[in-house]
Amino acid sequence: MLQYLVTYASETGNTKKIADEIYRTLPNFRKEILNIRQWNGQYDSETYFIGFWVNHGTCSLEIIDLLSSLHGKNIALFGTCGLGNTPEYYRKIEKSALTWLPDDNHFLGSYFCQGCMPQEIRQKYELCRGKCDETQLNLMIKAYEEAKFHPNRQDLLRANIFASEVITVADKIQGR
Ligand SMILES: Cc1cc2nc3c(=O)[nH]c(=O)nc-3n(C[C@H](O)[C@H](O)[C@H](O)COP(=O)(O)O)c2cc1C
């Protein structure tokens, strides 16, 4: 059995950057990293770092399938999203993913940060001008602009700290 498995969904590479940083932080012993698309149940692990990009406020079906299948494991979540760089928004995302995690797991926390969005999203926003609520639209454009340069070095550093904290707690649970 692995000690740590990092698995993630990432369409444009933002979440992969966080996954790679978390993987680098883990001790070099019985660890694997895997795009969720390659997941076929081939690994069993004590601790799972499960990452996703936020799509319409939540995670993808593949992530839901994985979360729902786990029992008696240590679980940490991570991810990237375009909007709302606030603790409240990140809590909402965490909550929506945790709905799928059975209660017999140990949830060890989550880490989210912003990730740049494709240019088509900005174009879509512009097409909305005059048809949508202007204040809301301006907020979305502001978030788009803010997200442009994320994940950045700070985001990766925070991911590294998050992973170190999770390792400490997971080790305690496993009696190491
Ligand atoms: C189709 C689509 C839907 C999205 N929906 C959301 C959303 O509901 N909330 C949000 O904060 N970001 C949303 N985003 C932004 C992505 O979550 C963000 O850019 C993320 O960093 C992409 O990660 P990836 O590069 O790992 O695929 C959406 C992006 C796309 C392309």
Side-chain angles (χ1 to χ4, degrees):
M1 192 191 303
L2 296 173
Q3 271 186 17
Y4 297 101
L5 176 65
V6 181
T7 184
Y8 60 91
S10 183
E11 277 303 307
T12 62
N14 297 329
T15 312
K16 182 180 186 310
K17 282 185 192 160
I18 304 293
D20 288 339
E21 183 61 30
I22 289 174
Y23 183 73
R24 265 195 295 273
T25 310
L26 299 172
N28 279 325
F29 181 63
R30 288 199 284 138
K31 64 174 184 177
E32 281 294 341
I33 183 166
L34 185 77
N35 185 312
I36 191 81
R37 295 226 167 114
Q38 270 98 54
W39 173 260
N40 60 12
Q42 66 271 55
Y43 293 118
D44 190 16
S45 182
E46 293 169 355
T47 301
Y48 290 73
F49 284 87
I50 301 176
F52 56 91
W53 64 284
V54 176
N55 186 355
H56 297 100
T58 190
C59 52
S60 66
L61 215 57
E62 301 142 309
I63 296 288
I64 291 174
D65 280 349
L66 173 60
L67 286 170
S68 315
S69 73
L70 298 172
H71 294 278
K73 303 296 184 185
N74 306 318
I75 311 290
L77 299 177
F78 65 96
T80 65
C81 53
L83 307 175
N85 181 20
T86 64
E88 295 75 34
Y89 186 58
Y90 294 152
R91 258 200 303 277
K92 238 169 97 177
I93 298 167
E94 176 193 278
K95 203 171 159 203
S96 86
L98 283 181
T99 316
W100 305 102
L101 186 70
D103 287 342
D104 58 353
N105 293 288
H106 302 282
F107 176 58
L108 305 186
S110 65
Y111 171 71
F112 294 97
C113 68
Q114 277 188 296
C116 58
M117 292 182 263
Q119 219 183 345
E120 299 86 74
I121 294 213
R122 174 72 205 246
Q123 285 158 358
K124 244 190 190 164
Y125 291 163
E126 288 304 337
L127 287 175
C128 242
R129 264 202 203 287
K131 298 177 217 150
C132 312
D133 179 312
E134 196 71 9
T135 315
Q136 188 62 24
L137 186 61
N138 287 336
L139 280 175
M140 308 273 270
I141 291 175
K142 189 166 169 259
Y144 175 93
E145 292 300 324
E146 276 170 11
K148 254 185 183 170
F149 304 104
H150 291 270
N152 60 20
R153 284 169 63 94
Q154 276 282 330
D155 297 325
L156 296 183
L157 182 66
R158 287 193 196 108
N160 181 298
I161 294 167
F162 167 69
S164 302
E165 288 168 356
V166 169
I167 292 165
T168 305
V169 181
D171 276 352
K172 260 193 204 142
I173 292 173
Q174 298 306 135
R176 283 193 288 269

